[in-house]
Amino acid sequence: MSADPSALLRRRWRRLLGSVRSRIALLLLVAAVPLCMIASNAALQNYGATASRIMQRALLLRSSVLARGDGAVSSATEMLRVLARSPVIAADRATCDRALALVLSLQPETYDGLAAYDADGTLRCGADPDVARPASPQLEALVERARRASGVALGSAEPSASRHSVIPVVAIIPGPAGAPGFLLTRLRVDRFGSQDRRDADAVAWLIDAGGGATVIGPGTLADLPAPTILARLLGTDDALQATSRRGRRFTYAATPMLGGLQLVVGYPSARDQGVAERALLWRMALLAALLVGGLSVVAVGISATLIQPLKRLGAEVRAWRVTGQFDPARVEPAPAELRELGLSFARATRSLDVRRRELRLAIEQQELLMQEIHHRVKNNLQIIASLLNLQAARIRQPEARAEFQSARDRVRALATLHRHLYSHGEVHTIHTRSFLVELCGQLFQAMGEREGERIALQIEASELQMSSDQAVPLALIVTEAVSNAIKYAFPNARSGHISVALRTLAGATPLADEAELVIQDDGVGIPAGRVETEHGMRDGIGLQLIRGFARQLGATLEVVEGEGTLYRVRLPLHRERDTLSPAA
């Protein structure tokens, strides 16, 4: 008995179209012409996007170099300002030389020398002989600009003995009226360049107020555009494509920098444009060879052979989310790839519960590791505190010994904090009451006082929970305030009281959004926490630290003077809770 020809044909056709790949290939042969039109349009758009990416690359290069340049200038000016106010500048020559050499050694590849001069240009001390060259008219003019400005000024780029272009930076040293000295360093221009390897062929220049140009990294002045184009470039924030003075194609971008300098970057665009043109020609030639077809046939064919099976598969997945059961047989009829996908999904659902259990176990292990880390940090901080205590015992000067003891107390406060971070089984939050009791007890013991004898201590604190990033500055505020009260508020064996209170503003629930810390003593008052300088009474380091930590917390600080001292800190509470959501 002969086989039915129609049935045989259907079997062959089904075998031919048994996979998604074969079905899509057949449809693409029918729909080639419309697809060629779409792809041609996409190729043209891609060519336009390439040109846009070149412009964007130049702008990104400008941003990168600007960030490094502004960062280097800002770092240099801030360093000089700090050094200008430092007492080591007024110390003896050897001390000053060592101090400047230490500062210079922190960034040896960024600065060419660092020196301090008297008002008449005489070298006071220096970290590099190159900076001790005789004064020049340019240097004198730069010093005069710094005196008229905010105390710091940048000069024009110039060559140095290290064969690198540098920018001199001058900062005025405060001194007697009419005769201040100044600090001088030279910032290396090659540190401004981009570190991105994709910018290896790019060029950058610094343009000073006089129009002089200095090359950053590879390249020459001949790679700059013509003067008219350069003038137009300096007046706009957009990138421009132009030819350099030696005939190369670049995409340029410019922007002002700190210190009155102008930054110009050039990204070579000829290569990228050539690649884009060749890619466009290749794609157009390939698309021209495709067969004629219709988008309507493609749409109907894809719907029948791919979209409908995918919809059935999607319906089964949605049903699985409700019932928890998935049957791959319900996706039939479907291409072989979709059938395999259904089987894979069924296997995945069976292993999902196993993965969830493994995830819970991994989270538990992570919590254990975090507790171990806090434990080790606490031990290391305790070792540091012990070393500071040993060092303080060897120092004879009371002032220096007191500074070491203050540093020891701050380290001990951090060690206590880390111990409490893992003692309750939560590595991201801390219970404040037990922590404050132990911390204040440590401070009394460190000061040689016994709680409740000469000075009485009262602690009122709810069992609040706060995040670890808030607990650190809060612990240091308590350390500084209580330490100041013990040290200065009760002189000459005077007795008194110190109270520490931490509560929510609402006062009703541990989950309140704001808290208030109040530290108060009935001693001699806040002048004991200040020091007398040639400019009058100033805040001591403890009070300065309290203000700084309050700013770090985003809190408001109120200091009340009178019969004793009161610190009131109001801060928002942040909590960190890591929970694993239950399985759906």
Side-chain angles (χ1 to χ4, degrees):
M1 182 177 180
S2 61
D4 185 6
S6 60
L8 182 60
L9 181 61
R10 284 195 298 272
R11 286 196 296 271
R12 291 180 178 177
W13 184 256
R14 189 180 299 113
R15 189 181 303 112
L16 178 64
L17 300 180
S19 66
V20 174
R21 178 179 300 176
S22 61
R23 297 183 185 190
I24 292 179
L26 178 62
L27 294 173
L28 287 178
L29 290 176
V30 179
V33 171
L35 292 178
C36 287
M37 296 174 60
I38 295 174
S40 299
N41 183 55
L44 292 173
Q45 291 180 351
N46 184 70
Y47 178 76
T50 300
S52 177
R53 285 196 298 269
I54 295 173
M55 304 285 282
Q56 189 65 28
R57 188 62 192 166
L59 296 176
L60 291 175
L61 173 63
R62 180 185 67 181
S63 299
S64 173
V65 178
L66 176 63
R68 285 178 57 81
D70 280 353
V73 172
S74 177
S75 176
T77 56
E78 184 62 26
M79 177 194 71
L80 292 183
R81 283 195 175 99
V82 172
L83 284 177
R85 296 190 298 267
S86 174
V88 299
I89 301 301
D92 59 274
R93 174 68 179 268
T95 301
C96 184
D97 284 344
R98 288 194 299 271
L100 296 187
L102 176 61
V103 173
L104 192 61
S105 67
L106 298 178
Q107 300 186 62
E109 297 181 354
T110 303
Y111 303 102
D112 272 2
L114 176 62
Y117 296 84
D118 292 325
D120 58 357
T122 302
L123 178 67
R124 183 182 300 179
C125 56
D128 191 317
D130 183 51
V131 297
R133 294 179 296 180
S136 64
Q138 293 82 359
L139 179 59
E140 294 175 358
L142 183 59
V143 173
E144 185 62 26
R145 280 173 48 201
R147 288 172 178 164
R148 291 196 307 267
S150 60
V152 178
L154 276 72
S156 300
E158 60 184 32
S160 69
S162 59
R163 294 181 295 179
H164 296 285
S165 295
V166 295
I167 298 176
V169 187
V170 165
I172 302 302
I173 302 173
F182 62 92
L183 283 164
L184 170 65
T185 188
R186 290 181 170 88
L187 184 61
R188 287 177 52 170
V189 173
D190 59 351
R191 305 303 296 171
F192 292 12
S194 173
Q195 293 183 326
D196 195 332
R197 294 182 179 179
R198 295 175 296 175
D199 299 332
D201 297 333
V203 190
W205 302 267
L206 285 180
I207 311 296
D208 57 30
T214 303
V215 181
I216 302 175
T220 65
L221 295 178
D223 289 326
L224 278 169
T228 55
I229 298 178
L230 180 60
R232 182 158 60 95
L233 180 66
L234 295 177
T236 181
D237 194 49
D238 296 328
L240 298 177
Q241 289 188 347
T243 303
S244 69
R245 298 175 186 177
R246 60 174 178 174
R248 295 180 62 191
R249 294 289 298 175
F250 280 88
T251 300
Y252 297 96
T255 186
M257 289 184 61
L258 294 176
L261 300 173
Q262 290 278 350
L263 170 67
V264 177
V265 298
Y267 182 77
S269 55
R271 180 182 59 189
D272 292 342
Q273 286 181 338
V275 171
E277 291 171 357
R278 290 191 295 272
L280 176 63
L281 293 176
W282 181 84
R283 290 177 180 177
M284 296 300 292
L286 178 63
L287 294 174
L290 294 178
L291 302 176
V292 176
L295 284 177
S296 58
V297 177
V298 172
V300 173
I302 289 179
S303 177
T305 60
L306 184 62
I307 301 302
Q308 294 303 321
L310 284 175
K311 286 183 178 180
R312 290 193 295 272
L313 178 60
E316 286 301 316
V317 172
R318 288 191 295 271
W320 166 80
R321 295 181 61 184
V322 177
T323 63
Q325 296 181 353
F326 177 81
D327 186 4
R330 297 177 184 174
V331 184
E332 297 290 349
E337 289 84 354
L338 284 183
R339 292 197 299 272
E340 180 62 27
L341 178 60
L343 293 174
S344 298
F345 186 82
R347 290 190 292 269
T349 56
R350 288 192 294 270
S351 63
L352 182 59
D353 289 338
V354 177
R355 298 300 182 188
R356 284 174 177 167
R357 290 193 294 270
E358 292 176 351
L359 179 59
R360 289 180 183 276
L361 179 61
I363 291 176
E364 293 174 358
Q365 292 176 346
Q366 182 186 20
E367 293 292 339
L368 292 176
L369 289 175
M370 289 296 296
Q371 291 182 9
E372 177 66 18
I373 289 172
H374 280 293
H375 178 72
R376 294 188 180 215
V377 170
K378 184 263 299 183
N379 289 343
N380 291 337
L381 289 173
Q382 288 180 339
I383 292 173
I384 295 173
S386 300
L387 294 175
L388 289 173
N389 194 38
L390 291 173
Q391 188 65 39
R394 298 172 58 90
I395 297 177
R396 297 181 179 179
Q397 295 180 351
E399 296 83 358
R401 185 167 58 251
E403 293 298 330
F404 269 85
Q405 292 172 347
S406 297
R408 174 204 62 195
D409 295 340
R410 292 165 189 146
V411 173
R412 281 180 176 174
L414 295 177
T416 303
L417 173 65
H418 276 277
R419 189 177 69 80
H420 279 264
L421 277 174
Y422 66 84
S423 63
H424 296 282
E426 296 184 20
V427 298
H428 297 296
T429 59
I430 183 171
H431 296 264
T432 54
R433 177 175 177 78
S434 57
F435 167 67
L436 289 177
V437 170
E438 181 175 347
L439 176 61
C440 293
Q442 285 183 351
L443 294 175
F444 267 75
Q445 182 180 2
M447 300 297 175
E449 297 285 346
R450 296 189 65 180
E451 179 185 343
E453 292 187 350
R454 187 173 67 90
I455 303 174
L457 174 65
Q458 181 180 4
I459 296 178
E460 298 178 5
S462 306
E463 280 294 353
L464 298 178
Q465 296 183 22
M466 62 175 57
S467 62
S468 56
D469 60 346
Q470 285 189 306
V472 171
L474 186 71
L476 294 175
I477 288 176
V478 174
T479 299
E480 297 299 330
V482 175
S483 298
N484 283 348
I486 298 173
K487 288 180 182 177
Y488 306 115
F490 307 101
N492 302 322
R494 176 173 175 169
S495 61
H497 298 79
I498 300 175
S499 66
V500 179
L502 178 63
R503 62 182 72 91
T504 62
L505 290 182
T509 170
L511 298 179
D513 292 330
E514 289 189 335
E516 183 180 64
L517 172 67
V518 179
I519 305 173
Q520 185 175 10
D521 65 75
D522 56 0
V524 298
I526 199 170
R530 294 182 175 177
V531 294
E532 184 175 359
T533 67
E534 60 182 0
H535 301 290
M537 296 297 292
R538 295 291 179 88
D539 291 345
I541 183 64
L543 194 52
Q544 293 178 19
L545 288 174
I546 291 174
R547 296 186 190 278
F549 293 136
R551 286 193 299 270
Q552 182 179 345
L553 283 169
T556 59
L557 172 65
E558 179 184 0
V559 183
V560 180
E561 305 181 33
E563 296 182 358
T565 305
L566 181 144
Y567 303 90
R568 181 177 286 109
V569 181
R570 180 176 295 181
L571 66 151
L573 284 178
H574 304 298
R575 299 176 183 83
E576 301 173 359
R577 293 188 179 273
D578 293 335
T579 59
L580 180 64
S581 300

